Amino acid sequence: MTAPARRRVAIVAGGSRGIGAEISRELAAGGTDVVIGFAQDSGTADKLAAEIGEAGRGRAKAVRADIAEPDAVGRLFAEAEQRYGGVDDVVVCAGAHASQRGPLAETDDESFRRVVDVNFRGTFLMLRAASTRVRAGGRIVTFSSSALALGMPGQAVYNASKAAVEVLTRQLAKELAGREITVNAVAPGPTGTELFLRGRPPEAVEALAKQIPLGRIGRPDDIAAVVTFLLSEPGGWINGQVLHANGGIV
């Protein structure tokens, strides 16, 4: 009698809202067990985990974890290992912007600290843990941004942090040679998430949409589809790459 196939287990850091929530839903719909990492809003995270559980495919558990803290990262991996038996896939889509967008000269110390802590340090901590705890044949996806290629004024620290993410991603892809683990980054363009829309007037969003050849800003499910492809078997020959999912804006 053939043993049942082992279920895949994924950690989605920043997996309770926006793009991360769509990734969590899509993975679970395909039968993956998901640990949903969140930093603050336990109500939203627990509601998503319950929604996934009720759908009856993959299972889900919400775990509070600010990925800028090493102990919190450890909790994510420990929860996946203890509850579901191991870790196959890791998605690092938690992110932070400066509290106010503006020139480098006007960026305050707290904004710098938070952006670097979450986007750079947090990604580093997640990748460091993933490098020793993801099972052979696993998949790792980080998040850069097409804002880096656009180079628009007012996002110097954010863009610098995403450049660092791309370096870490490519480096780890090479360092994990021989374990059949892929490491890639996704670089979304303008996407209608709470983080992106916060502080942007509708006319600014419309102006951005007009710059995109496909005529609209992205939706969270547009980006989730790219991530889930990279985590899938058909995406297994893509490694050490940055995929721009932006409708053609760059």
Side-chain angles (χ1 to χ4, degrees):
M1 183 174 175
T2 304
R6 174 173 58 79
R7 298 167 69 97
R8 292 188 74 85
V9 180
I11 294 172
V12 184
S16 66
R17 307 174 77 172
I19 294 169
E22 289 302 315
I23 294 168
S24 297
R25 289 188 183 98
E26 288 199 22
L27 289 176
T32 294
D33 294 328
V34 183
V35 172
I36 302 168
F38 70 96
Q40 296 178 340
D41 187 352
S42 60
T44 297
D46 289 339
K47 182 178 179 182
L48 176 60
E51 171 195 324
I52 288 172
E54 291 167 4
R57 295 295 300 277
R59 299 165 291 184
K61 171 65 176 177
V63 176
R64 185 185 296 274
D66 182 342
I67 65 169
E69 300 297 332
D71 289 346
V73 169
R75 284 198 301 275
L76 284 175
F77 282 84
E79 187 69 33
E81 290 162 349
Q82 293 166 15
R83 181 173 290 267
Y84 301 128
V87 181
D88 299 289
D89 304 319
V90 173
V91 181
V92 189
C93 62
H97 277 282
S99 56
Q100 291 185 331
R101 297 177 181 86
L104 182 64
E106 298 174 11
T107 301
D108 61 274
D109 292 345
E110 177 57 26
S111 291
F112 175 88
R113 183 196 66 79
R114 187 58 184 164
V115 169
V116 172
D117 273 0
V118 176
N119 297 350
F120 184 14
R121 175 179 166 83
T123 299
F124 161 73
L125 292 173
M126 288 293 297
L127 292 183
R128 184 173 67 179
S131 68
T132 59
R133 299 173 82 163
V134 167
R135 294 185 282 214
R139 305 277 189 266
I140 301 170
V141 176
T142 63
F143 266 67
S144 181
S145 172
S146 290
L148 176 58
L150 285 167
M152 295 176 66
Q155 299 194 78
V157 176
Y158 177 79
N159 288 350
S161 72
K162 293 303 186 179
V165 168
E166 293 189 7
V167 171
L168 292 175
T169 300
R170 291 190 175 102
Q171 187 73 31
L172 187 60
K174 295 181 182 298
E175 292 180 1
L176 295 183
R179 292 176 55 191
E180 298 183 351
I181 296 172
T182 65
V183 191
N184 295 289
V186 173
T191 306
T193 64
E194 180 185 352
L195 181 65
F196 174 79
L197 295 173
R198 186 186 306 151
R200 281 190 170 92
E203 55 270 24
V205 176
E206 291 174 11
L208 271 173
K210 290 178 181 178
Q211 298 177 46
I212 299 173
L214 294 183
R216 62 172 175 84
I217 66 170
R219 300 184 299 263
D221 60 290
D222 292 322
I223 312 305
V226 176
V227 173
T228 53
F229 171 73
L230 289 173
L231 298 177
S232 71
E233 186 174 348
W237 193 238
I238 301 171
N239 192 27
Q241 304 302 311
V242 179
L243 274 67
H244 289 82
N246 55 36
I249 193 170
V250 292

